[in-house]
Amino acid sequence: MPACLFGQEPGVPRDTSFTVASAAVKVLARYPHAAMVFPSLPPGVTERKNLVYASIGGRHLHLDAYLPDTPARRRHPGVMLIHGGGWRSGDRSQAVPMAQRLAAAGYAAIAVEYRLSPEAHYPAALHDLKSAVRWMRAHARELTLDTSRIAALGCSAGGQLAALLGTTNGDPRFEGTVGTAGHSSTIQAIVDIDGVLDLTHPAESGKDTGSAQPSAGASWFGATYRERPDLWREASPLQHAGSQTPPVLFVNSSLERFHAGRDEMIVKLQAHGVTSQVHTLPDTPHPFWLFHPWFDTTCGYVETFLSRIFPPQ
């Protein structure tokens, strides 16, 4: 697996407005008992950082792998972790604490980079993530990965992307041509942590009305909802949910706007016999998964769900 010395490509346009530190300023003002979660490599976990999973021209896309220390012949379920930040900010380091925790629980956990809106509009991020899943399967031996058991876990915008990744399983229209070919991008489970499922909901689509600056959605699509409603619908996981959708875990904050489309999607999944679970944490800020005391609770829900979907073999 080729490695790159630096996880951040020089010259790539970036928006650094969303960091754990900037989120902490807002969270601690209301929840002074909260504490930031920091990475800490657990015993029995191997870390492989800055691996290149795809190249677009001279631009390299990276991921970090956290793998259980077990005999090479053993295969582990995989989890690809997708950071949030409104499709325009954030980075994969924000997913590392949860990736480390999942690796300690026996999962091949991959924290992945993808192109954000300052660099490329939708559907580039989706194409990148499908490419990352294909890369995981192509490197299953090195990752000790069970290719029949891969989940996508995302937070906020990453949750929307994880859900979109899974609801478009097997649909060639969303595959893209980035990176590794010859392997499937299908995933077998979705974990959506406070990611919106219906981007046409007024809480999302109405943000550009009378706004001096484009919303996160308008920046990602390169157009407001009024200008390109087709794109906003197309990127809504709710629109694609059906029989091909794998089991889904929803973990939500107490903020209603991040639940948009969730209940409607559950109804659609039930009609097709697809399993889903919901946990809503009371009195929580949006980026709850980045802070104690909610980090452990969130990880517990994720581990319990995955252990049911991917039981030990």
Side-chain angles (χ1 to χ4, degrees), residues 6-275:
F6 300 104
Q8 302 293 334
E9 289 280 319
V12 173
R14 296 194 180 279
D15 178 335
T16 58
S17 59
F18 179 72
T19 65
V20 179
S22 66
V25 173
K26 297 178 180 179
V27 170
L28 294 177
R30 180 170 178 181
Y31 303 92
H33 65 287
M36 294 167 58
V37 176
F38 293 99
S40 179
L41 190 67
V45 173
T46 295
E47 176 184 64
R48 300 182 185 177
K49 298 191 70 174
N50 298 330
L51 305 177
V52 176
Y53 75 84
S55 297
I56 305 154
R59 165 72 158 109
H60 301 308
L61 294 169
H62 304 85
L63 55 78
D64 301 326
Y66 296 87
L67 309 173
D69 290 336
T70 56
R73 65 182 179 274
R74 183 175 176 184
R75 294 289 183 263
H76 302 92
V79 183
M80 183 174 72
L81 293 95
I82 309 167
H83 70 82
W87 309 286
R88 65 185 175 194
S89 189
D91 63 76
R92 70 185 188 278
S93 69
Q94 295 163 1
V96 166
M98 195 172 293
Q100 293 173 331
R101 165 106 175 220
L102 289 171
Y107 297 91
I110 309 297
V112 66
E113 171 190 24
Y114 58 96
R115 285 174 291 169
L116 301 171
S117 61
E119 180 180 3
H121 293 150
Y122 168 87
L126 180 61
H127 292 170
D128 294 347
L129 295 171
K130 285 186 179 282
S131 170
V133 176
R134 297 195 302 269
W135 183 94
M136 290 170 65
R137 287 196 164 93
H139 294 84
R141 183 184 296 273
E142 300 99 309
L143 299 174
T144 64
L145 173 68
D146 179 348
T147 59
S148 68
R149 300 191 293 170
I150 298 178
L153 179 157
C155 304
S156 191
Q160 176 270 337
L161 284 165
L164 187 59
L165 189 69
T167 55
T168 58
N169 270 346
D171 191 331
R173 295 177 301 165
F174 298 94
E175 198 66 28
T177 58
V178 175
T180 303
H183 295 271
S184 172
S185 66
T186 296
I187 60 170
Q188 286 72 47
I190 297 168
V191 178
D192 175 8
I193 300 177
D194 233 21
V196 172
L197 284 307
D198 181 8
L199 299 179
T200 72
H201 188 280
E204 289 295 324
S205 62
K207 288 180 180 178
D208 293 291
T209 303
S211 175
Q213 293 184 338
S215 68
S219 296
W220 191 40
F221 293 114
T224 66
Y225 177 65
R226 286 187 176 183
E227 293 167 336
R228 290 295 306 273
D230 57 317
L231 290 180
W232 290 64
R233 282 194 296 269
E234 180 181 284
S236 297
L238 175 63
Q239 297 294 322
H240 308 282
S243 59
Q244 83 290 351
T245 304
V248 187
L249 170 65
F250 302 100
V251 184
N252 285 113
S253 69
S254 58
L255 302 175
E256 286 288 335
R257 74 181 185 90
F258 295 102
H259 307 177
R262 182 194 67 187
D263 296 342
E264 295 89 340
M265 183 163 164
I266 290 171
V267 171
K268 291 184 71 172
L269 295 177
Q270 287 175 339
H272 291 279
V274 177
T275 299

